[in-house]
Structure formats: C-alpha cells, structure tokens
C-alpha cells in the first residue's frame, strides 16, 4: 500500500482529496472541525517535506450549481486555524484562474479550491474534468475515506493521470488498516456487534463477515425479525416479515461455520414509540400485543458483556436500542462501555457505519475504542466486501 511516507514532497505540489464536508451554522461557522483535524497530519507531513498542498473537497449537495451557501470559502479560516498556516482560497477548482494560483504557490503554502460539486462533472466522474484537476498537482494524494466508495472525478478518475505518482494519505491508510485488522488479520476471538433498525440494510454485511468472525451479537430492531422467525411473539416491535426466511438462513449458515450467534434474551418493551412511554422488562419472545422492544434488557447485557470482554477483535456497527431517546439509550451506552473495557484490556475495536459512530461520539467513547471510522457509506461497503473505487484507483499503481 503506497502512502505519503513513500514520497518526498520536496518542491512538489500535492493535489490532495480531503473530506471537508463539515457542518456549518446559520452564520457559516464550522460547528464540527473533526474532519479538518483528521486531514491535518497528511497536510503537515507534505509541508514539512518542503512541498505545497492543494486541497480539494466537496461540501453538501450543490448538484452542479454555484450555491454560495456551500462555498468552501466559509471554512478557509477554520482550515487555517487547524493547520496553523494561512490558507489561500481560489473561487473555482479548475481553469486558468486556478492554474495561475497553483503556479504562484510556494513551498509550505496551502491552497483550498472551491467546492468540487459546483460542477456536475465531479459526481459524474467526467474524465475531461478530472484531467483539468490533474493539471494542478505533481502527486495525487487521496485522504478522503468518506467518498472512497464513489467513482467521482476527484476521488477516483483523477488517479489515472498520476501513474506512479499517487498514494493514500494517513487518514485513508488508517481506515484501510483498521478494516483489514478486523476482516483479515484480526486476533481471535473476533466479535461483530450488529444493531440498527433493519435486517435488510445489514444483510450483505452479515453474509460477508460470517466466515471471518467467531461471535455475532445481534441487537436493535433487527432482533425481532430473528425472534419472530423462530416462533417468538414480538408484539408491535419493528419486524420485517419478508426477511424471516433470510434470518433463518443466516442462523443456519452461522451454525455451519461455527459462529456463535447471541440474540437478546430480554428487552425493554414500551407501549409506545415515545421517550415517555410506559416500559417493562420482558422476555424477547414474549412481547405482549401493543408493546414493542426498544432496548436490550439487563440479562441480555450480561451476556453481551461476557462475549465482548472475552473478544480480542471487535467490530461494532449499529446501536442496540433507540439510543436517540434517553429511556432506550442504556443498552447502547452499556455496549459502548463493554467495548471500551475490552479495548483497555488489549482488544482492537473498530466502530463504523452511521449511527453507532453517532452514538459513540454522543456518549463520549470516541477515545476509548481503537478506531472510529470517518466514512459511513464507505465503511458499510467495505464491510460488505466491496472493492471501493477510490482505493482501487490508488492500488492500481
Ligand atoms: P441503522 O442506521 O440501521 O444502524 O439503524 C439505526 C437506527 O436503528 C437508530 O435510529 C435506532 O433508533 C434504530 N433502532 C435501534 N433499535 C431499535 C428498535 N428496537 N426499534 C426501532 N428502531 C430501533
């Protein structure tokens, strides 16, 4: 895997695809600079080598229109602050004006380009547009995991103009290594904790990881399709009747592969999908009509704790309850605690994909797990076993 450590950037202009798709408030201030901070080590290494950096990113979904609200000019001062360098800005990402700005760029300087998605060619993966971007740099660096599953001009197509002169930034390399550590080289026992609302959105992941894991913990809304498929009563709990066959086939396949599946045994049931609903603890397969399971129960958490604590490699995707409501957040918080404790005892833990990342951040576990992925869709596709175009484009050499 070629990373920026394989190049000296002395007197080189690095064209870096970063993911600066950050949230802005009404006054266009950056409200969460995590993604900018995450790209910092890559940019600093290039500057310290004696190179200069040209940063390209998208922001929001302008869909090919020059929407001033989505201009990257809004984030220029925040990028300057994070990098400790006065970042220059050019209000376009291709063309003469940009090429002039790049020509003037000196060693140690950083230039931020305008939102790539002001051109519809970006998302279309247009080759001519990618070629115009390619003119701007000597070496192409991809450090945007969040868009690595898209074959866009700046994430994938542009790489074809940099044969032998392209590499992964530190952030993207870290993501790739974290996924490999779980999917390929993980120390046993390997445990996957899969939660979230629906079986249908996780099925490809389950099918792909079954042969790589020892334990599968299933939680959240997915639970009830498995429980009903086995003859349990799930009341009004979320359930995909058309996926019951699939649930049974997953259980069968897991058995064949020697994977131990751990489903909840008890749940916090509520008489409404509401934080203030009445609640009671019931067996997972005895949920009365009019009640729905919204969080893992105490006996379930005891089981989950034992499995997680005895694991050496842990993948966590999806909350085990409706964590957005305080009354049903306990299970997800506890799972976060168990993963943090296992990590402290030497396990490798990767949290990735959508809502579990939000939960980990919300409940303050971010620094207590080994790695929190920066890419939702890209992480899900990696776990599904798909080759990501942005990664393949660099590996092709
Ligand atoms: P996903 O995006 O598939 O990871 O699903 C995350 C969503 O699943 C969160 O918004 C949770 O509130 C929801 N969820 C988790 N457990 C349940 C449950 N028992 N019933 C309904 N929704 C749930």
């Amino acid at each position: 895997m070629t990373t920026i450590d394989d190049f000296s950037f002395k007197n080189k202009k690095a064209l870096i695809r970063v993911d600066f798709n950050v949230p802005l408030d009404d006054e266009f201030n950056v409200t969460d600079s995590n993604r900018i901070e995450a790209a910092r080590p890559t940019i600093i290494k290039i500057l310290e080598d004696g190179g200069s950096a040209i940063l390209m990113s998208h922001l929001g979904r302008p869909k090919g229109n020059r929407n001033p609200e989505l201009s990257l000019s809004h984030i220029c001062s925040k990028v300057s602050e994070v990098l400790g360098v006065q970042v220059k800005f050019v209000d376009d990402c291709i063309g003469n004006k940009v090429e002039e700005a790049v020509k003037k760029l000196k060693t140690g300087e950083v230039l931020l380009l305008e939102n790539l998605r002001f051109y519809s060619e970006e998302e279309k993966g247009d080759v001519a547009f990618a070629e115009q971007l390619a003119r701007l740099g000597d070496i192409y660096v991809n450090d945007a995991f969040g868009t690595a599953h898209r074959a866009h001009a700046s994430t994938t197509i542009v790489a074809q103009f940099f044969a032998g002169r392209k590499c992964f930034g530190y952030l993207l390399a870290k993501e790739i290594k974290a996924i490999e550590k779980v999917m390929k080289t993980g120390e046993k026992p390997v445990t996957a904790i899969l939660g979230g609302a629906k079986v249908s959105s996780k099925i490809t992941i389950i099918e792909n990881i079954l042969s790589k894991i020892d334990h599968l913990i299933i939680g959240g809304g997915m639970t009830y399709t498995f429980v009903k498929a086995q003859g349990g009563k799930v009341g009004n709990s979320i359930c995909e009747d058309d996926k019951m066959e699939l649930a049974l086939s997953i259980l069968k396949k897991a058995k064949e592969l020697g994977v131990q599946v751990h489903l909840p045994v008890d749940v916090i049931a509520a008489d409404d999908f509401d934080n203030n609903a009445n609640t009671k603890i019931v067996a997972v397969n005895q949920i009365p009509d009019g009640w729905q399971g919204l969080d893992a129960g105490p006996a379930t958490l005891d089981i989950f704790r034992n499995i997680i604590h005895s694991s050496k490699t842990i993948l966590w995707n999806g909350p085990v309850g409706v964590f957005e409501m305080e009354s049903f957040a306990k299970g997800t918080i506890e799972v976060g605690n168990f993963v943090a404790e296992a990590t402290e005892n030497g396990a490798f833990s990767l949290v990735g994909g959508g809502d579990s990342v939000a939960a980990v951040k919300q409940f303050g576990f971010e620094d207590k797990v080994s790695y929190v992925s920066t890419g939702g869709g890209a992480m899900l596709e990696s776990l599904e076993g798909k080759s990501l175009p942005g990664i393949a484009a660099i590996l092709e050499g």
Side-chain angles (χ1 to χ4, degrees):
M1 184 163 72
T2 313
T3 74
I4 52 171
D5 282 334
D6 297 307
F7 288 89
S8 164
F9 287 84
K10 194 168 170 53
N11 298 324
K12 300 280 187 222
K13 293 188 163 124
L15 180 65
I16 316 174
R17 179 49 159 105
V18 288
D19 181 2
F20 285 173
N21 185 27
V22 291
L24 302 177
D25 65 15
D26 291 347
E27 278 154 6
F28 304 108
N29 299 306
V30 176
T31 53
D32 179 350
S33 57
N34 271 340
R35 288 183 168 169
I36 301 173
E37 279 148 28
R40 187 177 187 275
T42 292
I43 301 165
I44 295 296
K45 135 85 183 168
I46 288 164
L47 301 183
E48 283 181 351
D49 267 11
S52 52
I54 300 144
L55 308 179
M56 52 179 181
S57 178
H58 74 284
L59 177 64
R61 295 186 169 162
K63 301 220 153 92
N65 298 312
R66 259 179 194 276
N67 177 349
E69 294 189 356
L70 297 176
S71 169
L72 280 167
S73 61
H74 300 307
I75 74 161
C76 198
S77 59
K78 180 51 94 178
V79 181
S80 303
E81 183 190 316
V82 170
L83 296 179
V85 174
Q86 194 58 46
V87 173
K88 296 174 191 295
F89 178 75
V90 56
D91 65 358
D92 211 334
C93 60
I94 54 165
N96 286 341
K97 193 198 288 178
V98 183
E99 288 176 30
E100 277 306 310
V102 165
K103 221 184 263 171
K104 286 192 203 134
L105 203 64
K106 299 193 201 83
T107 292
E109 289 188 334
V110 181
L111 176 69
L112 176 65
L113 307 184
E114 183 54 287
N115 194 339
L116 292 158
R117 291 193 188 168
F118 282 1
Y119 289 85
S120 59
E121 287 88 343
E122 160 66 359
E123 290 187 80
K124 285 185 196 141
D126 184 84
V127 178
F129 177 72
E131 195 272 331
Q132 294 212 61
L133 292 173
R135 281 185 213 164
L136 306 176
D138 302 311
I139 300 173
Y140 170 67
V141 180
N142 191 351
D143 212 19
F145 182 65
T147 48
H149 59 315
R150 306 279 184 222
H152 293 170
S154 69
T155 63
T156 302
I157 312 302
V158 71
Q160 72 195 44
F161 299 98
F162 289 92
R165 295 179 292 129
K166 54 187 168 182
C167 58
F168 297 111
Y170 289 133
L171 178 64
L172 188 38
K174 255 202 290 188
E175 294 273 358
I176 297 170
K177 279 187 199 134
I179 294 164
E180 278 185 357
K181 239 176 150 171
V182 172
M183 308 288 271
K184 288 191 187 153
T185 58
E187 193 184 335
K188 283 172 158 293
V190 181
T191 297
I193 308 160
L194 293 188
K198 291 180 171 175
V199 181
S200 49
S201 62
K202 300 286 158 88
I203 183 64
T204 328
I205 297 181
I206 301 179
E207 282 171 345
N208 184 48
I209 63 174
L210 266 188
S211 61
K212 304 169 173 70
I213 60 177
D214 304 293
H215 295 277
L216 174 61
I217 289 178
I218 292 177
M222 279 205 292
T223 305
Y224 307 99
T225 304
F226 283 89
V227 171
K228 189 169 174 187
Q230 295 178 93
K233 278 181 58 190
V234 298
N236 289 10
S237 306
I238 186 171
C239 183
E240 292 172 280
D241 287 352
D242 60 334
K243 294 289 176 294
M244 290 199 300
E245 282 295 319
L246 198 60
L248 290 178
S249 75
I250 289 169
L251 295 176
K252 185 162 169 262
K253 191 165 176 212
K255 204 168 180 189
E256 284 162 14
L257 291 167
V259 178
Q260 289 186 45
V261 179
H262 309 277
L263 278 156
V265 292
D266 63 347
V267 294
I268 311 292
D271 61 357
D272 197 4
F273 191 78
D274 190 300
N275 194 38
N276 299 316
N278 295 307
T279 61
K280 57 182 174 184
I281 299 166
V282 296
V284 72
N285 55 1
Q286 305 283 335
I287 302 174
D289 289 341
W291 292 72
Q292 53 189 306
L294 294 183
D295 198 8
T300 299
L301 292 174
D302 279 345
I303 297 170
F304 287 3
R305 181 197 298 110
N306 284 336
I307 301 302
I308 294 169
H309 278 178
S310 66
S311 303
K312 287 275 175 262
T313 304
I314 301 162
L315 164 70
W316 183 16
N317 171 278
V320 300
V322 184
F323 75 99
E324 298 93 335
M325 296 186 203
E326 207 186 333
S327 308
F328 311 108
K330 182 164 188 274
T332 300
I333 295 173
E334 284 293 79
V335 168
N337 275 325
F338 305 154
V339 175
E341 285 154 8
T343 310
E344 185 157 7
N345 288 328
F348 177 81
S349 54
L350 166 63
V351 183
D355 274 321
S356 37
V357 173
V360 160
K361 288 185 178 172
Q362 184 178 328
F363 301 126
F365 292 115
E366 220 174 340
D367 298 327
K368 298 179 181 160
V369 297
S370 309
Y371 196 72
V372 181
S373 175
T374 57
M379 175 52 87
L380 294 179
E381 290 196 16
S382 299
L383 299 177
E384 287 172 352
K386 292 182 186 149
S387 151
L388 307 190
I391 293 177
I394 303 272
L395 294 176
E396 275 155 18

